[in-house]
């Protein structure tokens, strides 16, 4: 299990340097950066998804990417490095190492509204997962994620812990708190790895840098137990 930061890749400014977005014109950088991460994790490649802020969970049994866009992936196959890419949204990594089932989730505002982490956990349980550990990766914190009051009300109506205020006193959504609560409600043991993407110069943030922002990743891979 790992979360990347912006260091150690080949991309040049302003995407320096471990940008995993693969946006137009940056495919070559993505290939090289993903290869570096894969090698560091001891896997042949990263399995990426085309994320669309949707509600679909893909179940994979090979290292081929999902055939359709999705915002969560689950596998019980060895050496398939599931990868979620974000810049401010919440990257979630899930694992039941004993049962041998892992998953990743792209949890933004839309994902919170549909409880995508809950559906992903259900999918994992359908493959035999029981005691699931969840890691909530770097994301824009509740003190920085300013939204219109109406939007805050909409999200908080679904998950009350999402209700937040910025450090300057305006309406905000606390995505991390919302996702953590949904994970706990699904029976996961949750660890928040901390770090606000907007505040940390070591992380990519769309709110801070807009089109000049790269993407960081949450990754999980199931390895064969040593015999
Ligand atoms: Zn912050």
């Amino acid at each position: 299990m790992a979360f990347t930061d912006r260091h150690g890749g080949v991309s040049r400014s302003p995407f320096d340097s471990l940008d995993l977005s693969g946006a137009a014109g940056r495919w070559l950088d993505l290939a090289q950066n993903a290869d570096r991460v894969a090698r560091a994790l001891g896997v042949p490649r990263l399995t990426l998804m085309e994320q669309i802020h949707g509600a679909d969970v893909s179940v994979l049994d090979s290292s081929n990417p999902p055939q359709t866009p999705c915002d969560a992936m689950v596998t019980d196959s060895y050496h398939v490095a599931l990868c979620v890419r974000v810049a401010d949204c919440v990257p979630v990594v899930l694992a039941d190492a004993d049962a041998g089932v892992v998953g990743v989730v792209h949890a933004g505002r839309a994902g919170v509204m549909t409880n995508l982490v809950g559906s992903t956990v259900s999918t994992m349980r359908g493959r035999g997962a029981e005691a699931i550990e969840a890691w909530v990766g770097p994301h824009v914190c509740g003190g920085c994620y300013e939204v219109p009051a109406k939007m805050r009300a909409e999200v908080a109506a679904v998950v009350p812990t999402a209700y937040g205020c910025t450090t300057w006193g305006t309406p905000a959504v606390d995505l991390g708190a919302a996702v953590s609560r949904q994970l706990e409600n699904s029976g996961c043991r949750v660890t928040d790895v901390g770090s606000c993407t907007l505040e940390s110069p070591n992380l990519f943030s769309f709110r801070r840098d807009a089109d000049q922002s790269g993407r960081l990743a949450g990754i999980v891979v199931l390895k064969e137990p040593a015999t």
Side-chain angles (χ1 to χ4, degrees), residues 77-191:
S77 297
Y78 293 126
H79 309 303
V80 178
L82 304 180
C83 180
V84 51
R85 296 173 290 166
V86 297
D88 293 339
C89 285
V90 187
V92 180
V93 167
L94 299 159
D96 179 343
D98 292 334
V101 187
V102 295
V104 292
V105 187
H106 168 224
R109 219 170 1 91
V112 164
M113 298 297 276
T114 59
N115 192 12
L116 184 55
V117 291
S119 339
T120 310
V121 166
S122 298
T123 303
M124 289 176 68
R125 294 203 191 287
R127 313 286 287 194
E130 290 174 6
I132 300 175
E133 294 265 356
W135 290 269
V136 172
H139 57 275
V140 64
C141 80
C144 289
Y145 187 30
E146 183 177 51
V147 299
K150 185 165 174 285
M151 185 180 286
R152 174 175 69 178
E154 283 167 6
V155 182
V158 177
V159 192
T161 51
Y163 189 97
C165 284
T166 60
T167 51
W168 55 98
T170 57
V173 165
D174 192 333
L175 286 179
V179 169
S180 293
R181 177 56 56 88
Q182 290 178 320
L183 287 165
E184 284 162 7
N185 288 347
S186 300
C188 299
R189 200 162 80 194
V190 182
T191 302

